[in-house]
Amino acid sequence: MILGIGTDLANIDRVAATLDRFGDRFRNRVFTEVEQAKAERRADVAGTYAKRWAAKEACSKALGTGLRMGIAWKDMAVANLDTGQPVMQVTGWAAERLAQMTPPGHRAIIHVTLTDDHPWAQAFVVIEARPSP
């Protein structure tokens, strides 16, 4: 069953300007060390950050809260499987919210997809509940 859906569109140039203006202050407030390491290794640093920004926004919408009610940027983090597929990991308040949303006898799975076409980066998140084995 679908528990939540969220999407977001981010402007890569706007994220690049924010990185130029605020640098580490912005990076450290919004992105985990793993996310930062991934972005800094890429040719399109700003595009990588923009996709992760959009994913966090989309995840917060799928959680039904947006970025309020105690959720922190770093409570949602994008990582990648060895295949390159993005996955969303939640901790802190986001994990608590996810647990509240998940019906008894089910486990939650967060699906995330990312795309970009300069100057836009987009993310789509679906939270699914599957019966526990």
Side-chain angles (χ1 to χ4, degrees):
M1 95 183 56
I2 303 299
L3 299 178
I5 299 172
T7 188
D8 192 67
L9 186 66
N11 185 288
I12 297 169
D13 293 333
R14 182 174 173 225
V15 171
T18 302
L19 287 165
D20 289 343
R21 183 171 179 197
F22 297 105
D24 285 343
R25 191 170 122 202
F26 172 65
R27 282 183 198 89
N28 294 331
R29 179 173 175 249
V30 176
F31 302 101
T32 66
E33 289 180 16
V34 171
E35 290 173 311
Q36 290 181 46
K38 174 83 172 185
E40 297 299 327
R41 286 193 309 265
R42 305 303 284 285
D44 184 10
V45 173
T48 302
Y49 279 122
K51 285 186 280 190
R52 278 149 179 75
W53 171 281
K56 291 168 186 270
E57 287 274 6
C59 185
S60 72
K61 292 170 185 174
L63 289 168
T65 63
L67 286 160
R68 57 185 174 89
M69 297 177 59
I71 200 167
W73 286 104
K74 289 184 176 181
D75 285 348
M76 302 164 291
V78 177
N80 294 86
L81 300 177
D82 291 340
T83 61
Q85 176 184 346
V87 293
M88 179 66 69
Q89 300 166 336
V90 294
T91 59
W93 192 90
E96 291 174 24
R97 173 67 180 147
L98 183 61
Q100 291 169 357
M101 295 171 59
T102 306
H106 289 74
R107 62 186 173 92
I109 300 168
I110 302 174
H111 303 277
V112 61
T113 186
L114 308 172
T115 191
D116 65 289
D117 187 8
H118 197 89
W120 300 107
Q122 184 178 30
F124 192 74
V125 171
V126 175
I127 302 175
E128 173 189 13
R130 290 188 187 164
S132 297

